[in-house]
Amino acid sequence: PVPTISWRKVNGHNPSKARLRKSQAVLEIPNVQLEDAGMYECKAENSRGRNVFRGQLQVYTYPHWVEKLNDTQLDSGDQLRWECKATGKPRPTYHWLKNGVPLWPQSRIEMVNGVLMIHSVNLSDAGMYQCLAENKYGTIYASAELKIL
């Protein structure tokens, strides 16, 4: 006999935008987002028995800003702390530029996971800074100016 087919997201709910087509044999998820990722199960059953298949849906995305930089004015001797934060899959890595040139850690400069800290800023730290967030799908940039008073 013709089986009855059903779909479910294991450990979650089917996305509300999901549609079933072709006698429920096809699960279609338009405009897939990160939250749609997960294990899905298709079950076919009739009076003669049932069969279940599971498949993992993985969603990858380019980086997208969650938190950007703002232009900042500091007094000489103050501490700068800028954080740029992006989402994406795979998780983005961060790089910093100052006036278009890669910035490297130094005795006063720390860079960890999108956070730039400059201890005891001075006039030489003034300039345009960029944070880059990148994964294998793309690179995004955020810019801000640091002025020292």
Side-chain angles (χ1 to χ4, degrees):
V2 176
T4 301
I5 298 174
S6 61
W7 285 90
R8 76 178 184 97
K9 185 176 182 183
V10 179
N11 299 325
H13 301 288
N14 285 353
S16 58
K17 60 191 172 189
R19 297 191 292 262
L20 296 171
R21 300 186 319 113
K22 299 193 179 193
S23 300
Q24 298 195 334
V26 175
L27 174 68
E28 187 176 86
I29 304 172
N31 190 26
V32 170
Q33 300 294 314
L34 278 175
E35 60 268 17
D36 298 326
M39 182 73 69
Y40 287 82
E41 180 179 273
C42 174
K43 181 168 57 174
E45 56 188 328
N46 63 19
S47 59
R48 308 278 306 215
R50 71 182 201 152
N51 201 350
V52 175
F53 171 78
R54 283 187 172 187
Q56 182 75 32
L57 172 62
Q58 295 184 9
V59 180
Y60 298 97
T61 65
Y62 60 90
H64 178 78
W65 288 120
V66 174
E67 208 171 303
K68 290 187 183 182
L69 309 174
N70 292 312
D71 291 343
T72 302
Q73 294 184 15
L74 293 174
D75 290 324
S76 185
D78 285 353
Q79 177 176 293
L80 170 73
R81 185 184 190 280
W82 266 332
E83 181 173 10
C84 56
K85 193 183 292 185
T87 61
K89 190 167 182 184
R91 181 177 298 156
T93 57
Y94 301 95
H95 304 282
W96 289 88
L97 303 175
K98 178 186 173 193
N99 297 325
V101 177
L103 192 60
W104 302 106
Q106 299 169 21
S107 58
R108 295 180 307 110
I109 301 174
E110 296 178 53
M111 292 170 278
V112 181
N113 295 329
V115 175
L116 170 66
M117 289 181 57
I118 303 178
H119 304 280
S120 190
V121 297
N122 60 50
L123 286 174
S124 70
D125 297 315
M128 288 300 298
Y129 288 78
Q130 285 183 304
C131 176
L132 286 71
E134 64 182 337
N135 66 17
K136 69 182 190 175
Y137 297 102
T139 303
I140 54 177
Y141 297 80
S143 302
E145 182 177 10
L146 175 61
K147 292 182 181 176
I148 305 300
L149 304 175

